[in-house]
Amino acid sequence: MGICDESGALMSGEEPILAMAVQRDRGNGLGGGFAGYGIYPEFPDHFCFHMMYHDLKAKEEAEAILDQHFLIEVAEPMPTRPVKGITDAPLLWRYFMTPHAHLLEEREVTAEDYVVSVVMLVNARVDGAFVASSGKNMGAFKGVGYPEEIGHYFRLEEYAGHTWVGHNRFPTNTPGWWGGAHPFTLLDWSIVHNGEISSYGINSRYLEQFGYTCSLGTDTEVAAYLFDLLLRRHKLPLELACKALAPALWTEIDRMDPEQAALMSSLRAVYGPGMLNGPFAIVLGFNGGMVALNDRIKLRPLVAARSGSKLMVASEESAIRTIMPEPDDVWMPKAGEPVIARVKGMDLPFHSQLHASPAEISCAVTAVETACEIEEVAV
Amino acid sequence: MQQTFVQPEFRVKIDYDKCHKCGRCVQQCGWGVYDFNERPIPHDEKCRACHRCVTYCPAHCITIEKNTLAFRDNDNWSTDARKAVWKQAETGGVLLTSMGNPRPYERIFDKLVLDACQVTNPSIDPLREPMELRTYLGRKSDSVAVEPNGTGGFKLAGSTGLERNVKLDTPIIFAPMSYGSVSLNVHRSLAMAAERCGILMNTGEGGLHEDLYPYQDNVIVQVASGRFGVSPEYLQRGAAIEIKIGQGAKPGIGGHLPGEKIDREVSSTRMIPQGSDAISPAPHHDIYSIEDLRQLIYALKEASGYKTVGVKIAAVHNVAAIASGIVRAGADYIYLDGFKGGTGAAPQVIRDHIGIPIEIALAAVDQRLRDEGIRNQTSIIAAGSIRSSADAAKAIALGADVVAIGTATLLALGCHLCQSCHTGKCSWGITTQKPELTRRIDPEWGAERLTNLIHAWSHELQEILGALGVNAVESLRGSRERLRSVGLDEQTCRILGVKPAGL
């Protein structure tokens, strides 16, 4: 489920809870979660880490890493309330932080790459610690339970955001655990996902080439990293990133005009290992909107609706009717056709920055043409 | 003459009650097994068990049996080992043979099994849904740069290299087999089938006969150490150019085409004198280091207007490091040939004991290129005993973009793996230049059989993809998660990047 008010008006966290509650029987109580955008207006430029710790030892170790890399402005327990059905919660903390400027300079990386590397480090190195979210002015609230229970547990009604995504989980491949619930996030990206990526094996190997470590073994993780790679690092427009992940069939490409055919064939050939194959309906949330995408032969349900400035997507129309009883328009998005919501006046995050990816840097000696491109980047 | 110790391998049995005494067997046999004196009289010692006579006997009265002559049991000295010593004691020569390594090395493909979808991710029905096999052979960029196209959309900003790739309708191509080692009719069959299937045939190191010029867009032209048949025009004609460094069946040694197989046509295609042995050197005499290879790659690119240039190497111990160097030297694809690959002629000791399995080499190379972040810059062709679509699917899952098949194509044309290609007497008309034998292959018939084979395997690949729940071959390529080992040791599993079944 995803809902975005393109006017930028804020919605209480109660709305996504209601939209998820009506789809209760799509899950089994082993995972529910939400992500909200625009929820921390008092800290718009701080990276906010939502952390999960199994014990105090994990907290100490993870905090040591965070402290080493960031100037920590605020460190506090997540506000929660006791809710029937939510048990065995880990220690939940949040941190508002800025990267140490001297370390950024030393490593010659962008703040985002820096944050990604710390997230990977904490998740991979610290046993019992998990980064639930790591973006600016956003946060993920998730755990083991039905989504409406999780929403109440995190006191979501006390937050207000312009964009919300929500998820109800029926775990199959990985056991139901707090970190494994959706949304899965990285930086500002959050992903909720209905389905299963049958191409997980090659997607994760592809991402490893670019320095991503797929440590959770879930397909949602690869979707998040792929969006990060395509949008933030390769600077693809949102529409084309979606086309790389759910590309047109060759028979369709062959019928396009030469300019579009060249573009689409290149996307397929270059990003083939990243293509998400198998049944999925995913919603990607970001600071400034969201995009919903179905797999290329529409093996999972996805309904979209618009009511005024609000765009909403969900697995079931019932969820939409709960929030917007009489929408202006309701439709079934076509296979592989992205549904995009953009908050007025907000850019796609990270799009103005320029830097080369590790793979681009490592290929300097391979071909004349490639070498020339690298020189331009170096300048 | 000294009596040979080596007894015939086979017994030719004729049921004379059924025999028509027509002499068809005498005419069909390329090995001269039969004399005819009112009825066919077989000479067992000449029989290669190629079954040409059996297939064409109108009375179905011929059977070929193993010569069951008893030897005293000895697990250390196999019968073959004893025979080899006798043969060499008699001749003083290197034992020559052909086709692929027949020894009982572990067959890793047979210990790998594929995954399938159940419930949570559905399988896809290839009879009702699109199931895409199209593959592009060649170097691609690491990312795609775009710019606004002026009408609200986007267009490419700069090249991604795709325009120089070779488009394949299915990820199976024909392996290099030279005109000379095989007959022109075999080449015609391969070229016609390649065109019909939207794939490629490969000249091997024997040049491109002018009869194949109409099919040039479906031909890889090879440049090997002998430079046979190489000219500027030859390079211009290929869809891609391949530098052959080594061959899986005989890593580290050159090629040898005996003078008997070099008739007028072969001579003019290869640009060498008629009747002279065509011996290609073991190394390229202008390649003694990786930078020399780089220079040849770019010389060929310059000469051909920047066509796709690939490099074929045999699978050897440090193949991963070599492959990395080859990619960085500018090769657009790497052709990896495993040690079970076939050959038209090779010393038996080389064929049977040198090189490593394609499964291992492929896995090591694919991982190495990924570790270095240069996997997108090349395509990998895997070959060396791809026996079925299952082998092809497993090779693709291990990391191959494309598989190449040689032995399987010859089997389709009648080959019975008698391992005697080097004699030039192939009764099936495949590995011979004798006109009375080569005319046994009608190119139209051959092309149809090869097209059938490629279509059959492609359909099977689609079935496999459907079972795996993906509808494009790029989602299987390198997806080792979809493979499991049954009975491979831990170390091999680690190298292959494959988990044991149950995990």
Side-chain angles (χ1 to χ4, degrees), chain A residues 196 198 202 205 250 254 259-260 266 268 277 296 300 363 366, chain B residues 120 132 134 149 154 160 366-367 377 471 474-475 477-478 482:
Chain A
E196 179 161 334
S198 306
I202 184 55
R205 290 189 78 212
W250 285 118
D254 291 344
E259 183 187 282
Q260 283 307 295
S266 284
R268 270 201 82 162
N277 214 320
R296 51 199 218 118
R300 285 289 157 112
C363 66
T366 51
Chain B
T120 57
E132 301 182 310
R134 188 188 294 186
N149 68 354
F154 296 92
T160 56
D366 177 66
Q367 188 57 46
Q377 294 175 30
N471 54 13
E474 52 260 53
S475 295
R477 190 186 308 137
R482 310 311 295 276

PDB file of all heavy atoms in Angstrom, chain A residues 196 198 202 205 250 254 259-260 266 268 277 296 300 363 366, chain B residues 120 132 134 149 154 160 366-367 377 471 474-475 477-478 482:
ATOM      1  N   GLU A 196       7.377 -12.305  -4.933  1.00  0.00           N
ATOM      2  CA  GLU A 196       8.631 -12.990  -4.701  1.00  0.00           C
ATOM      3  C   GLU A 196       9.467 -12.830  -5.955  1.00  0.00           C
ATOM      4  O   GLU A 196       9.010 -13.097  -7.060  1.00  0.00           O
ATOM      5  CB  GLU A 196       8.371 -14.468  -4.418  1.00  0.00           C
ATOM      6  CG  GLU A 196       9.656 -15.224  -4.200  1.00  0.00           C
ATOM      7  CD  GLU A 196       9.417 -16.535  -3.473  1.00  0.00           C
ATOM      8  OE1 GLU A 196       8.429 -16.646  -2.742  1.00  0.00           O
ATOM      9  OE2 GLU A 196      10.232 -17.443  -3.666  1.00  0.00           O
ATOM     10  N   SER A 198      11.851 -14.082  -8.375  1.00  0.00           N
ATOM     11  CA  SER A 198      12.459 -15.361  -8.747  1.00  0.00           C
ATOM     12  C   SER A 198      13.881 -15.173  -9.261  1.00  0.00           C
ATOM     13  O   SER A 198      14.633 -16.128  -9.363  1.00  0.00           O
ATOM     14  CB  SER A 198      11.608 -16.046  -9.822  1.00  0.00           C
ATOM     15  OG  SER A 198      10.270 -16.160  -9.381  1.00  0.00           O
ATOM     16  N   ILE A 202      20.529 -13.810  -9.247  1.00  0.00           N
ATOM     17  CA  ILE A 202      21.392 -12.977 -10.102  1.00  0.00           C
ATOM     18  C   ILE A 202      21.281 -11.514  -9.690  1.00  0.00           C
ATOM     19  O   ILE A 202      22.263 -10.764  -9.749  1.00  0.00           O
ATOM     20  CB  ILE A 202      21.093 -13.185 -11.606  1.00  0.00           C
ATOM     21  CG1 ILE A 202      22.090 -12.376 -12.455  1.00  0.00           C
ATOM     22  CG2 ILE A 202      19.676 -12.808 -11.966  1.00  0.00           C
ATOM     23  CD1 ILE A 202      23.554 -12.665 -12.168  1.00  0.00           C
ATOM     24  N   ARG A 205      23.814 -11.071  -6.926  1.00  0.00           N
ATOM     25  CA  ARG A 205      25.197 -11.134  -7.426  1.00  0.00           C
ATOM     26  C   ARG A 205      25.550  -9.871  -8.210  1.00  0.00           C
ATOM     27  O   ARG A 205      26.669  -9.387  -8.163  1.00  0.00           O
ATOM     28  CB  ARG A 205      25.393 -12.363  -8.322  1.00  0.00           C
ATOM     29  CG  ARG A 205      25.367 -13.676  -7.576  1.00  0.00           C
ATOM     30  CD  ARG A 205      25.777 -14.820  -8.483  1.00  0.00           C
ATOM     31  NE  ARG A 205      27.207 -14.874  -8.668  1.00  0.00           N
ATOM     32  CZ  ARG A 205      27.805 -15.292  -9.774  1.00  0.00           C
ATOM     33  NH1 ARG A 205      27.096 -15.679 -10.802  1.00  0.00           N
ATOM     34  NH2 ARG A 205      29.117 -15.328  -9.856  1.00  0.00           N
ATOM     35  N   TRP A 250      10.738  -8.071 -25.735  1.00  0.00           N
ATOM     36  CA  TRP A 250      11.476  -7.782 -26.976  1.00  0.00           C
ATOM     37  C   TRP A 250      10.517  -7.531 -28.139  1.00  0.00           C
ATOM     38  O   TRP A 250      10.768  -6.696 -28.997  1.00  0.00           O
ATOM     39  CB  TRP A 250      12.421  -8.928 -27.329  1.00  0.00           C
ATOM     40  CG  TRP A 250      13.644  -8.992 -26.482  1.00  0.00           C
ATOM     41  CD1 TRP A 250      14.021 -10.008 -25.646  1.00  0.00           C
ATOM     42  CD2 TRP A 250      14.696  -8.003 -26.376  1.00  0.00           C
ATOM     43  NE1 TRP A 250      15.207  -9.701 -25.018  1.00  0.00           N
ATOM     44  CE2 TRP A 250      15.646  -8.494 -25.451  1.00  0.00           C
ATOM     45  CE3 TRP A 250      14.904  -6.755 -26.954  1.00  0.00           C
ATOM     46  CZ2 TRP A 250      16.798  -7.777 -25.107  1.00  0.00           C
ATOM     47  CZ3 TRP A 250      16.048  -6.041 -26.617  1.00  0.00           C
ATOM     48  CH2 TRP A 250      16.976  -6.548 -25.708  1.00  0.00           C
ATOM     49  N   ASP A 254      10.783  -4.233 -30.365  1.00  0.00           N
ATOM     50  CA  ASP A 254      10.995  -4.282 -31.816  1.00  0.00           C
ATOM     51  C   ASP A 254       9.996  -3.424 -32.582  1.00  0.00           C
ATOM     52  O   ASP A 254      10.253  -3.035 -33.716  1.00  0.00           O
ATOM     53  CB  ASP A 254      10.931  -5.742 -32.316  1.00  0.00           C
ATOM     54  CG  ASP A 254      12.118  -6.559 -31.826  1.00  0.00           C
ATOM     55  OD1 ASP A 254      13.115  -5.946 -31.374  1.00  0.00           O
ATOM     56  OD2 ASP A 254      12.060  -7.802 -31.873  1.00  0.00           O
ATOM     57  N   GLU A 259      14.557   5.367 -32.005  1.00  0.00           N
ATOM     58  CA  GLU A 259      15.163   6.042 -30.845  1.00  0.00           C
ATOM     59  C   GLU A 259      14.764   5.344 -29.539  1.00  0.00           C
ATOM     60  O   GLU A 259      15.602   5.044 -28.693  1.00  0.00           O
ATOM     61  CB  GLU A 259      14.703   7.503 -30.825  1.00  0.00           C
ATOM     62  CG  GLU A 259      15.319   8.318 -29.707  1.00  0.00           C
ATOM     63  CD  GLU A 259      14.695   9.707 -29.621  1.00  0.00           C
ATOM     64  OE1 GLU A 259      15.073  10.540 -30.459  1.00  0.00           O
ATOM     65  OE2 GLU A 259      13.833   9.943 -28.745  1.00  0.00           O
ATOM     66  N   GLN A 260      13.477   5.055 -29.394  1.00  0.00           N
ATOM     67  CA  GLN A 260      13.001   4.391 -28.185  1.00  0.00           C
ATOM     68  C   GLN A 260      13.479   2.951 -28.122  1.00  0.00           C
ATOM     69  O   GLN A 260      13.836   2.437 -27.062  1.00  0.00           O
ATOM     70  CB  GLN A 260      11.472   4.435 -28.116  1.00  0.00           C
ATOM     71  CG  GLN A 260      10.918   5.777 -27.678  1.00  0.00           C
ATOM     72  CD  GLN A 260      11.531   6.268 -26.370  1.00  0.00           C
ATOM     73  OE1 GLN A 260      11.342   5.669 -25.319  1.00  0.00           O
ATOM     74  NE2 GLN A 260      12.306   7.342 -26.432  1.00  0.00           N
ATOM     75  N   SER A 266      19.008  -1.012 -24.871  1.00  0.00           N
ATOM     76  CA  SER A 266      20.188  -0.763 -24.056  1.00  0.00           C
ATOM     77  C   SER A 266      19.885  -0.981 -22.583  1.00  0.00           C
ATOM     78  O   SER A 266      20.671  -1.580 -21.861  1.00  0.00           O
ATOM     79  CB  SER A 266      20.699   0.663 -24.267  1.00  0.00           C
ATOM     80  OG  SER A 266      21.367   0.744 -25.504  1.00  0.00           O
ATOM     81  N   ARG A 268      17.688  -2.949 -21.336  1.00  0.00           N
ATOM     82  CA  ARG A 268      17.563  -4.392 -21.091  1.00  0.00           C
ATOM     83  C   ARG A 268      18.907  -5.078 -21.093  1.00  0.00           C
ATOM     84  O   ARG A 268      19.198  -5.916 -20.244  1.00  0.00           O
ATOM     85  CB  ARG A 268      16.676  -5.044 -22.162  1.00  0.00           C
ATOM     86  CG  ARG A 268      15.239  -5.070 -21.785  1.00  0.00           C
ATOM     87  CD  ARG A 268      14.484  -6.128 -22.570  1.00  0.00           C
ATOM     88  NE  ARG A 268      14.650  -7.450 -21.976  1.00  0.00           N
ATOM     89  CZ  ARG A 268      13.854  -8.464 -22.241  1.00  0.00           C
ATOM     90  NH1 ARG A 268      12.852  -8.317 -23.073  1.00  0.00           N
ATOM     91  NH2 ARG A 268      14.064  -9.635 -21.667  1.00  0.00           N
ATOM     92  N   ASN A 277      12.466 -10.355 -11.949  1.00  0.00           N
ATOM     93  CA  ASN A 277      11.647 -11.325 -12.652  1.00  0.00           C
ATOM     94  C   ASN A 277      10.886 -12.160 -11.634  1.00  0.00           C
ATOM     95  O   ASN A 277      11.420 -12.513 -10.598  1.00  0.00           O
ATOM     96  CB  ASN A 277      12.539 -12.211 -13.533  1.00  0.00           C
ATOM     97  CG  ASN A 277      11.844 -12.606 -14.815  1.00  0.00           C
ATOM     98  OD1 ASN A 277      10.653 -12.906 -14.802  1.00  0.00           O
ATOM     99  ND2 ASN A 277      12.572 -12.611 -15.915  1.00  0.00           N
ATOM    100  N   ARG A 296       6.383  -7.619 -15.086  1.00  0.00           N
ATOM    101  CA  ARG A 296       6.087  -7.345 -16.487  1.00  0.00           C
ATOM    102  C   ARG A 296       5.017  -8.221 -17.104  1.00  0.00           C
ATOM    103  O   ARG A 296       4.642  -8.009 -18.261  1.00  0.00           O
ATOM    104  CB  ARG A 296       7.367  -7.376 -17.327  1.00  0.00           C
ATOM    105  CG  ARG A 296       8.194  -8.608 -17.133  1.00  0.00           C
ATOM    106  CD  ARG A 296       9.610  -8.371 -17.613  1.00  0.00           C
ATOM    107  NE  ARG A 296      10.110  -9.555 -18.265  1.00  0.00           N
ATOM    108  CZ  ARG A 296      10.481  -9.630 -19.507  1.00  0.00           C
ATOM    109  NH1 ARG A 296      10.456  -8.582 -20.271  1.00  0.00           N
ATOM    110  NH2 ARG A 296      10.908 -10.759 -20.006  1.00  0.00           N
ATOM    111  N   ARG A 300       0.877 -10.186  -9.899  1.00  0.00           N
ATOM    112  CA  ARG A 300       0.357  -9.827  -8.570  1.00  0.00           C
ATOM    113  C   ARG A 300      -0.602  -8.655  -8.700  1.00  0.00           C
ATOM    114  O   ARG A 300      -0.497  -7.852  -9.623  1.00  0.00           O
ATOM    115  CB  ARG A 300       1.518  -9.439  -7.634  1.00  0.00           C
ATOM    116  CG  ARG A 300       2.324 -10.624  -7.132  1.00  0.00           C
ATOM    117  CD  ARG A 300       1.539 -11.461  -6.126  1.00  0.00           C
ATOM    118  NE  ARG A 300       2.062 -12.801  -6.064  1.00  0.00           N
ATOM    119  CZ  ARG A 300       2.695 -13.320  -5.000  1.00  0.00           C
ATOM    120  NH1 ARG A 300       2.869 -12.587  -3.934  1.00  0.00           N
ATOM    121  NH2 ARG A 300       3.121 -14.553  -5.018  1.00  0.00           N
ATOM    122  N   CYS A 363      37.094   0.273 -14.679  1.00  0.00           N
ATOM    123  CA  CYS A 363      37.217  -0.184 -16.050  1.00  0.00           C
ATOM    124  C   CYS A 363      38.108   0.731 -16.887  1.00  0.00           C
ATOM    125  O   CYS A 363      38.096   0.677 -18.101  1.00  0.00           O
ATOM    126  CB  CYS A 363      35.841  -0.307 -16.709  1.00  0.00           C
ATOM    127  SG  CYS A 363      35.046   1.271 -16.889  1.00  0.00           S
ATOM    128  N   THR A 366      40.159  -0.658 -20.056  1.00  0.00           N
ATOM    129  CA  THR A 366      39.637  -1.694 -20.941  1.00  0.00           C
ATOM    130  C   THR A 366      39.444  -1.259 -22.380  1.00  0.00           C
ATOM    131  O   THR A 366      39.625  -2.049 -23.273  1.00  0.00           O
ATOM    132  CB  THR A 366      38.291  -2.223 -20.431  1.00  0.00           C
ATOM    133  OG1 THR A 366      37.485  -1.093 -20.209  1.00  0.00           O
ATOM    134  CG2 THR A 366      38.508  -3.006 -19.180  1.00  0.00           C
TER     135      THR A 366
ATOM    136  N   THR B 120       4.648 -19.982  -3.691  1.00  0.00           N
ATOM    137  CA  THR B 120       4.872 -18.575  -3.349  1.00  0.00           C
ATOM    138  C   THR B 120       5.324 -17.757  -4.543  1.00  0.00           C
ATOM    139  O   THR B 120       4.950 -16.612  -4.677  1.00  0.00           O
ATOM    140  CB  THR B 120       5.894 -18.441  -2.221  1.00  0.00           C
ATOM    141  OG1 THR B 120       7.107 -19.071  -2.625  1.00  0.00           O
ATOM    142  CG2 THR B 120       5.372 -19.055  -0.947  1.00  0.00           C
ATOM    143  N   GLU B 132      11.461 -15.273 -23.071  1.00  0.00           N
ATOM    144  CA  GLU B 132      12.439 -14.639 -23.940  1.00  0.00           C
ATOM    145  C   GLU B 132      13.847 -15.215 -23.814  1.00  0.00           C
ATOM    146  O   GLU B 132      14.396 -15.307 -22.736  1.00  0.00           O
ATOM    147  CB  GLU B 132      12.481 -13.144 -23.632  1.00  0.00           C
ATOM    148  CG  GLU B 132      11.115 -12.504 -23.838  1.00  0.00           C
ATOM    149  CD  GLU B 132      11.146 -11.020 -23.590  1.00  0.00           C
ATOM    150  OE1 GLU B 132      11.664 -10.607 -22.545  1.00  0.00           O
ATOM    151  OE2 GLU B 132      10.678 -10.277 -24.453  1.00  0.00           O
ATOM    152  N   ARG B 134      16.298 -14.107 -26.213  1.00  0.00           N
ATOM    153  CA  ARG B 134      17.212 -13.263 -26.981  1.00  0.00           C
ATOM    154  C   ARG B 134      18.408 -12.828 -26.128  1.00  0.00           C
ATOM    155  O   ARG B 134      18.266 -12.491 -24.955  1.00  0.00           O
ATOM    156  CB  ARG B 134      16.490 -12.017 -27.502  1.00  0.00           C
ATOM    157  CG  ARG B 134      17.368 -11.217 -28.456  1.00  0.00           C
ATOM    158  CD  ARG B 134      16.748  -9.895 -28.826  1.00  0.00           C
ATOM    159  NE  ARG B 134      15.519 -10.055 -29.600  1.00  0.00           N
ATOM    160  CZ  ARG B 134      14.865  -9.007 -30.126  1.00  0.00           C
ATOM    161  NH1 ARG B 134      15.316  -7.777 -29.954  1.00  0.00           N
ATOM    162  NH2 ARG B 134      13.770  -9.207 -30.813  1.00  0.00           N
ATOM    163  N   ASN B 149      14.590  13.915 -24.732  1.00  0.00           N
ATOM    164  CA  ASN B 149      14.534  13.827 -26.195  1.00  0.00           C
ATOM    165  C   ASN B 149      13.721  14.953 -26.807  1.00  0.00           C
ATOM    166  O   ASN B 149      13.468  14.980 -28.002  1.00  0.00           O
ATOM    167  CB  ASN B 149      13.978  12.465 -26.641  1.00  0.00           C
ATOM    168  CG  ASN B 149      12.519  12.277 -26.286  1.00  0.00           C
ATOM    169  OD1 ASN B 149      11.936  13.116 -25.596  1.00  0.00           O
ATOM    170  ND2 ASN B 149      11.935  11.184 -26.733  1.00  0.00           N
ATOM    171  N   PHE B 154      12.873  10.414 -23.047  1.00  0.00           N
ATOM    172  CA  PHE B 154      14.321  10.384 -22.951  1.00  0.00           C
ATOM    173  C   PHE B 154      14.906   9.632 -24.129  1.00  0.00           C
ATOM    174  O   PHE B 154      14.239   8.821 -24.767  1.00  0.00           O
ATOM    175  CB  PHE B 154      14.750   9.696 -21.649  1.00  0.00           C
ATOM    176  CG  PHE B 154      14.316  10.427 -20.421  1.00  0.00           C
ATOM    177  CD1 PHE B 154      13.102  10.114 -19.808  1.00  0.00           C
ATOM    178  CD2 PHE B 154      15.086  11.443 -19.881  1.00  0.00           C
ATOM    179  CE1 PHE B 154      12.684  10.797 -18.677  1.00  0.00           C
ATOM    180  CE2 PHE B 154      14.676  12.133 -18.750  1.00  0.00           C
ATOM    181  CZ  PHE B 154      13.472  11.806 -18.147  1.00  0.00           C
ATOM    182  N   THR B 160      26.027   2.685 -25.498  1.00  0.00           N
ATOM    183  CA  THR B 160      26.143   1.667 -24.463  1.00  0.00           C
ATOM    184  C   THR B 160      26.884   0.451 -25.003  1.00  0.00           C
ATOM    185  O   THR B 160      27.000  -0.553 -24.316  1.00  0.00           O
ATOM    186  CB  THR B 160      24.756   1.213 -23.982  1.00  0.00           C
ATOM    187  OG1 THR B 160      24.011   0.755 -25.121  1.00  0.00           O
ATOM    188  CG2 THR B 160      24.018   2.347 -23.319  1.00  0.00           C
ATOM    189  N   ASP B 366      33.448 -16.244 -14.229  1.00  0.00           N
ATOM    190  CA  ASP B 366      32.308 -15.354 -13.982  1.00  0.00           C
ATOM    191  C   ASP B 366      32.476 -14.628 -12.648  1.00  0.00           C
ATOM    192  O   ASP B 366      32.261 -13.423 -12.541  1.00  0.00           O
ATOM    193  CB  ASP B 366      31.016 -16.173 -13.998  1.00  0.00           C
ATOM    194  CG  ASP B 366      29.784 -15.335 -13.674  1.00  0.00           C
ATOM    195  OD1 ASP B 366      29.462 -14.449 -14.478  1.00  0.00           O
ATOM    196  OD2 ASP B 366      29.168 -15.554 -12.619  1.00  0.00           O
ATOM    197  N   GLN B 367      32.901 -15.376 -11.614  1.00  0.00           N
ATOM    198  CA  GLN B 367      33.047 -14.751 -10.299  1.00  0.00           C
ATOM    199  C   GLN B 367      34.183 -13.732 -10.306  1.00  0.00           C
ATOM    200  O   GLN B 367      34.061 -12.649  -9.745  1.00  0.00           O
ATOM    201  CB  GLN B 367      33.288 -15.832  -9.227  1.00  0.00           C
ATOM    202  CG  GLN B 367      33.255 -15.291  -7.811  1.00  0.00           C
ATOM    203  CD  GLN B 367      31.934 -14.576  -7.494  1.00  0.00           C
ATOM    204  OE1 GLN B 367      30.853 -15.066  -7.783  1.00  0.00           O
ATOM    205  NE2 GLN B 367      32.028 -13.359  -6.937  1.00  0.00           N
ATOM    206  N   GLN B 377      31.434  -5.931 -19.155  1.00  0.00           N
ATOM    207  CA  GLN B 377      32.266  -5.541 -20.290  1.00  0.00           C
ATOM    208  C   GLN B 377      32.550  -6.692 -21.241  1.00  0.00           C
ATOM    209  O   GLN B 377      33.256  -6.520 -22.242  1.00  0.00           O
ATOM    210  CB  GLN B 377      33.583  -4.957 -19.778  1.00  0.00           C
ATOM    211  CG  GLN B 377      33.357  -3.662 -19.038  1.00  0.00           C
ATOM    212  CD  GLN B 377      34.633  -3.134 -18.436  1.00  0.00           C
ATOM    213  OE1 GLN B 377      35.706  -3.365 -18.964  1.00  0.00           O
ATOM    214  NE2 GLN B 377      34.512  -2.436 -17.339  1.00  0.00           N
ATOM    215  N   ASN B 471      10.766 -15.213 -17.026  1.00  0.00           N
ATOM    216  CA  ASN B 471      10.384 -15.243 -18.430  1.00  0.00           C
ATOM    217  C   ASN B 471      11.426 -14.615 -19.352  1.00  0.00           C
ATOM    218  O   ASN B 471      11.125 -14.239 -20.476  1.00  0.00           O
ATOM    219  CB  ASN B 471       9.003 -14.601 -18.634  1.00  0.00           C
ATOM    220  CG  ASN B 471       8.948 -13.202 -18.051  1.00  0.00           C
ATOM    221  OD1 ASN B 471       9.978 -12.629 -17.717  1.00  0.00           O
ATOM    222  ND2 ASN B 471       7.755 -12.659 -17.928  1.00  0.00           N
ATOM    223  N   GLU B 474      17.961 -13.668 -19.173  1.00  0.00           N
ATOM    224  CA  GLU B 474      18.914 -12.920 -18.356  1.00  0.00           C
ATOM    225  C   GLU B 474      18.651 -13.081 -16.865  1.00  0.00           C
ATOM    226  O   GLU B 474      19.510 -12.780 -16.055  1.00  0.00           O
ATOM    227  CB  GLU B 474      18.961 -11.441 -18.749  1.00  0.00           C
ATOM    228  CG  GLU B 474      17.642 -10.718 -18.798  1.00  0.00           C
ATOM    229  CD  GLU B 474      17.105 -10.594 -20.219  1.00  0.00           C
ATOM    230  OE1 GLU B 474      17.008 -11.632 -20.905  1.00  0.00           O
ATOM    231  OE2 GLU B 474      16.764  -9.472 -20.640  1.00  0.00           O
ATOM    232  N   SER B 475      17.462 -13.552 -16.506  1.00  0.00           N
ATOM    233  CA  SER B 475      17.185 -13.771 -15.090  1.00  0.00           C
ATOM    234  C   SER B 475      17.711 -15.126 -14.609  1.00  0.00           C
ATOM    235  O   SER B 475      17.730 -15.397 -13.417  1.00  0.00           O
ATOM    236  CB  SER B 475      15.681 -13.686 -14.816  1.00  0.00           C
ATOM    237  OG  SER B 475      15.242 -12.376 -15.078  1.00  0.00           O
ATOM    238  N   ARG B 477      20.756 -16.197 -16.081  1.00  0.00           N
ATOM    239  CA  ARG B 477      22.192 -16.073 -16.302  1.00  0.00           C
ATOM    240  C   ARG B 477      22.922 -15.667 -15.019  1.00  0.00           C
ATOM    241  O   ARG B 477      22.660 -14.618 -14.447  1.00  0.00           O
ATOM    242  CB  ARG B 477      22.453 -15.036 -17.403  1.00  0.00           C
ATOM    243  CG  ARG B 477      23.869 -14.990 -17.895  1.00  0.00           C
ATOM    244  CD  ARG B 477      24.065 -13.856 -18.875  1.00  0.00           C
ATOM    245  NE  ARG B 477      23.056 -13.907 -19.939  1.00  0.00           N
ATOM    246  CZ  ARG B 477      22.425 -12.834 -20.400  1.00  0.00           C
ATOM    247  NH1 ARG B 477      22.693 -11.646 -19.932  1.00  0.00           N
ATOM    248  NH2 ARG B 477      21.530 -12.966 -21.350  1.00  0.00           N
ATOM    249  N   GLY B 478      23.785 -16.533 -14.558  1.00  0.00           N
ATOM    250  CA  GLY B 478      24.558 -16.232 -13.348  1.00  0.00           C
ATOM    251  C   GLY B 478      23.780 -16.428 -12.061  1.00  0.00           C
ATOM    252  O   GLY B 478      24.275 -16.130 -10.984  1.00  0.00           O
ATOM    253  N   ARG B 482      19.701 -20.776  -8.248  1.00  0.00           N
ATOM    254  CA  ARG B 482      18.731 -21.717  -8.805  1.00  0.00           C
ATOM    255  C   ARG B 482      19.338 -23.090  -9.059  1.00  0.00           C
ATOM    256  O   ARG B 482      18.699 -23.967  -9.632  1.00  0.00           O
ATOM    257  CB  ARG B 482      18.128 -21.185 -10.105  1.00  0.00           C
ATOM    258  CG  ARG B 482      17.594 -19.761 -10.053  1.00  0.00           C
ATOM    259  CD  ARG B 482      16.683 -19.482  -8.871  1.00  0.00           C
ATOM    260  NE  ARG B 482      15.426 -20.200  -8.811  1.00  0.00           N
ATOM    261  CZ  ARG B 482      14.320 -19.824  -9.439  1.00  0.00           C
ATOM    262  NH1 ARG B 482      14.308 -18.778 -10.218  1.00  0.00           N
ATOM    263  NH2 ARG B 482      13.208 -20.521  -9.289  1.00  0.00           N
TER     264      ARG B 482
END
